[in-house]
Amino acid sequence: MIKKYLQRKININTDDTNEERKEMMEIEYYLLESESSDFDEIYGQKVYGIEIIKKTQEDEIESEFVRNLSTSADSVNSILDKMVKNSVTPVALPFVLDDLIGV
């Protein structure tokens, strides 16, 4: 079972970034927690991941998640903090993780 913990929620006004499509969007950043069942070394331990959800005024929802990033909630929260500071969207999650930790 996966547990989700909302870490941060930000609102972005796209008026500043996109002249053609002016709207508000909300981005939510979640810490995911589950038990490892994949690797013998950490079997049964808690593992942490990230989920990002973007919502727009037109009720469009975009979501992306990555499970099992680390057994350390602190290290995943550190990654989440960087993503919040840079307003990372769901579509960019895999690319940013690749740049940060080589996933």
Side-chain angles (χ1 to χ4, degrees):
M1 177 203 294
I2 298 175
K3 296 179 183 177
K4 287 173 51 169
Y5 302 99
L6 178 64
Q7 299 299 305
R8 280 301 260 307
K9 184 187 296 191
I10 61 172
N11 292 304
I12 298 174
N13 185 351
T14 60
D15 291 353
D16 300 334
T17 59
N18 187 348
E19 289 297 321
E20 293 176 13
R21 190 173 172 191
K22 298 179 179 182
E23 66 180 347
M24 290 291 296
M25 69 175 147
E26 178 180 86
I27 305 176
E28 299 173 343
Y29 298 88
Y30 290 90
L31 176 70
L32 303 179
E33 177 186 279
S34 60
E35 286 189 14
S36 175
S37 60
D38 297 337
F39 305 104
D40 290 337
E41 308 87 49
I42 59 170
Y43 183 83
Q45 291 184 30
K46 290 185 180 180
V47 289
Y48 300 92
I50 293 172
E51 181 175 19
I52 301 176
I53 299 174
K54 180 179 91 173
K55 300 176 184 177
T56 64
Q57 289 175 317
E58 289 90 28
D59 293 328
E60 295 175 13
I61 297 177
E62 183 181 307
S63 175
E64 186 68 47
F65 69 91
V66 175
R67 293 177 52 201
N68 303 340
L69 283 175
S70 176
T71 56
S72 168
D74 290 338
S75 66
V76 175
N77 273 320
S78 176
I79 293 168
L80 271 170
D81 288 342
K82 290 176 186 174
M83 291 187 175
V84 170
K85 287 178 187 173
N86 293 288
S87 305
V88 174
T89 60
V91 72
L93 175 62
F95 303 107
V96 172
L97 282 176
D98 187 41
D99 286 345
L100 289 174
I101 59 175
V103 171

